[in-house]
Amino acid sequence: MSSYIIEGGKKLQGETYVSGSKNASLPIMAATILNKGISKLYNVPNIHDTQMMIEILKNLGCKVKRNGNKLIIDSSKVNNYEIPENLMREMRSSVIIAGSILGRYKKASFSYPGGCDIGARPIDLHIKGFEKIGIKTQEEHGRINCFADEIIGDEINLDFPSVGATENIILASILQKGVTTIVNAAMEPEIEDLQKFLNRMGAKVEGAGSNIIKITGVQQLKDVSYNIMPDRIEAGTILCATAITGGKIKLKQINPIHIAPILDKLREAGCSFEIKKDIINFEAPKRLNAVDIRTTPYPGFPTDMQAIFASLLCVASGTSVIVENIFENRFKYTQELQRMGAKIKIEGRTAIIKGSRKLYGAEVKATDLRGGASLVLAGLVAKGKTKIEDIKYILRGYEKLDEKLNSLGANIKII
Ligand code: EPZ
């Protein structure tokens, strides 16, 4: 198991860039199943999770060629509709491929996606949505078998604006008969990127980015080339790394609208910045102010930034309160931050953080992707050396994070 060794105390300065979005790439890669042809994807981050999705696509009969951040996927010979257990367990978001297999085959078989360290991660909203458009589902021995004679459009009201459920229902509806309307749909930018990709492939999807999405079934799809949007959480992570070290950077390849809620909170914490198209010149204050955070669905403050922002607040002046409204167990990382001297009290879905002047290097473990990233940021500012074990979690979602931060003056080694 690899680890990071981080020597803290360096201010981040210079310039770096943001890679393509993990959470836009995964549903778009799944969507390539729908057309029996060639999809060329650019700016796909070369990370564990996209590699896992490539394995799943190959397992279904796709031919996949990766050349750096470019993928060529040939789905003409897809000949299987079962997602293997081990790959489902490896990455719970692989449930997203069920929608596109159903869209093409009207049948799919997959196992319950493994939960993970941020909560139970149920898929009841996915299943309820499928059943509303004529898909029958039955569960046996932990596997879910779905099938439909016809997929017929209908109106689906989501109890919660689930990102995955919204994406899965869109994918299952692309080749349907009729029209499906999703009410209380998730509004995350990754869903807009999925809509743009699908429409370029000849689908008819409208309303992504709003809470009502309409999918009109089509019969024919065509080959497509598409450039994945920048990763808004990676952008937020690099900006927060700069903020926690009191640094000053230029960050390229961002989408400023997507990171607006993160920038609002960084401004409140005392940071200043100037945006020119897809570049941000960003500067941190000597000492950050305490800031209160409540995570909500987009366009509110993203839950994926909660752990990362918490690290900043551990060295801010004053007491901050974080309320995590999306996942029921997304504070595990705080036990590791406490080993570095952080003063954090957890009460249910609330974390109370008393800012202190210093954190101290320690041996800590990454518990999940974003929790791991929060430990990297704490290591950057801590006095002395920090060893972060189980960095496989971090490598799932960040492309060359250590290289990018080292290019800004950090001192991170992999052992
Ligand atoms: C997506 O996960 C993202 N993953 C997550 O990012 C992100 O945290 C999350 O959306 C929220 O923004 C990908 O896009 C691959 P949800 P997803 O369905 O789709 C409950 C990261 O760090 N729920 O919006 O799984 C669920 O338990 C990852 O990059 C149900 O109850 O999120 C959770 O409490 C972590 N029933 C809440 O909704 C369902 O059927 C949000 O889940 C589905 C979800």
Side-chain angles (χ1 to χ4, degrees):
M1 292 268 208
S2 322
S3 300
Y4 281 148
I5 302 290
I6 303 178
E7 190 66 53
K10 314 267 183 331
K11 279 185 191 310
L12 296 192
Q13 285 168 340
E15 63 179 72
T16 189
Y17 67 95
V18 177
S19 297
S21 163
K22 163 177 89 82
N23 292 348
S25 299
L26 295 173
I28 286 172
M29 289 169 74
T32 61
I33 296 267
L34 288 163
N35 83 325
K36 300 178 180 160
I38 307 283
S39 302
K40 289 181 183 159
L41 303 180
Y42 300 91
N43 202 31
V44 178
N46 196 349
I47 52 178
H48 176 276
D49 275 11
T50 54
Q51 196 47 48
M52 275 294 101
M53 189 54 89
I54 289 171
E55 295 313 313
I56 292 174
L57 290 171
K58 284 179 173 171
N59 189 279
L60 296 171
C62 292
K63 287 202 192 67
V64 185
K65 263 194 250 128
R66 179 196 274 279
N67 175 3
N69 299 115
K70 179 181 165 186
L71 287 187
I72 300 179
I73 300 169
D74 178 349
S75 60
S76 48
K77 300 256 180 323
V78 168
N79 53 16
N80 178 12
Y81 57 90
E82 295 199 1
I83 309 173
E85 173 94 21
N86 63 316
L87 292 176
M88 275 299 293
R89 285 204 168 278
E90 183 73 31
M91 183 175 68
R92 61 158 269 106
S93 43
S94 44
V95 67
I96 203 72
I97 209 151
S100 55
I101 301 173
L102 281 164
R104 178 164 171 180
Y105 273 108
K106 302 193 187 65
K107 56 183 177 181
S109 168
F110 51 98
S111 65
Y112 252 99
C116 63
D117 273 303
I118 59 176
R121 312 294 294 276
I123 56 168
D124 56 307
L125 301 176
H126 300 238
I127 300 297
K128 259 168 75 178
F130 287 163
E131 290 177 342
K132 194 76 191 292
I133 53 177
I135 295 166
K136 294 175 189 55
T137 65
Q138 65 181 193
E139 193 201 322
E140 49 183 6
H141 319 309
R143 277 193 81 80
I144 303 173
N145 302 312
C146 302
F147 49 91
D149 300 326
E150 284 297 351
I151 296 179
I152 301 178
D154 204 328
E155 177 169 294
I156 296 168
N157 289 275
L158 287 179
D159 299 345
F160 178 85
S162 152
V163 173
T166 302
E167 293 167 341
N168 238 346
I169 294 162
I170 291 172
L171 293 171
S173 306
I174 295 297
L175 300 166
Q176 73 192 330
K177 287 205 176 344
V179 176
T180 289
T181 304
I182 306 173
V183 180
N184 195 25
M187 302 196 278
E188 271 69 7
E190 291 76 18
I191 296 172
E192 280 185 272
D193 224 32
L194 176 62
Q195 170 176 289
K196 279 189 208 135
F197 170 79
L198 288 165
N199 289 346
R200 191 156 316 159
M201 201 156 77
K204 203 166 172 340
V205 186
E206 303 154 77
S210 81
N211 57 4
I212 297 188
I213 297 177
K214 191 170 123 184
I215 306 105
T216 306
V218 296
Q219 303 309 315
Q220 194 57 35
L221 295 169
K222 57 186 192 284
D223 290 358
V224 62
S225 290
Y226 192 74
N227 199 42
I228 302 284
M229 67 177 237
D231 193 308
R232 60 191 170 104
I233 306 301
E234 186 198 15
T237 304
I238 295 171
L239 293 173
C240 285
T242 307
I244 201 169
T245 59
K248 179 180 177 186
I249 68 162
K250 176 190 286 228
L251 185 57
K252 298 179 286 186
Q253 291 166 217
I254 62 153
N255 178 316
I257 299 167
H258 296 168
I259 59 173
I262 303 166
L263 289 175
D264 283 350
K265 286 296 171 184
L266 284 167
R267 183 187 291 115
E268 212 181 308
C271 301
S272 52
F273 51 84
E274 195 197 4
I275 292 168
K276 283 196 195 97
K277 285 212 200 110
D278 69 340
I279 294 174
I280 182 168
N281 290 306
F282 181 87
E283 185 163 7
K286 274 208 176 5
R287 182 102 199 264
L288 294 159
N289 311 323
V291 165
D292 292 341
I293 301 278
R294 289 173 179 284
T295 65
T296 68
Y298 192 87
F301 188 88
T303 173
D304 291 350
M305 283 300 302
Q306 180 257 104
I308 294 151
F309 218 90
S311 295
L312 303 192
L313 301 175
C314 291
V315 294
S317 60
T319 299
S320 307
V321 176
I322 296 182
V323 182
E324 170 54 57
N325 293 307
I326 308 293
F327 289 102
E328 78 270 10
N329 177 20
R330 206 168 191 177
F331 285 131
K332 246 186 124 175
Y333 66 92
T334 57
Q335 292 156 22
E336 301 301 310
L337 285 177
Q338 284 163 336
R339 294 165 61 86
M340 300 176 74
K343 297 189 182 62
I344 306 177
K345 200 156 161 294
I346 304 295
E347 285 167 14
R349 286 188 176 233
T350 301
I352 297 146
I353 302 177
K354 202 170 168 322
S356 46
R357 282 217 169 272
K358 281 238 170 299
L359 291 178
Y360 300 89
E363 295 214 354
V364 291
K365 274 184 187 311
T367 53
D368 61 274
L369 167 58
R370 307 303 176 183
S374 80
L375 298 176
V376 172
L377 267 63
L380 291 176
V381 73
K383 201 168 163 26
K385 206 170 273 193
T386 300
K387 181 180 181 187
I388 304 176
E389 294 179 3
D390 295 347
I391 61 168
K392 66 178 188 315
Y393 289 109
I394 303 171
L395 302 176
R396 294 188 54 162
Y398 288 98
E399 183 182 58
K400 300 181 185 158
L401 181 64
D402 53 324
E403 285 178 37
K404 289 175 182 173
L405 295 177
N406 285 340
S407 76
L408 295 172
N411 180 343
I412 304 174
K413 292 188 180 60
I414 290 192
I415 56 166

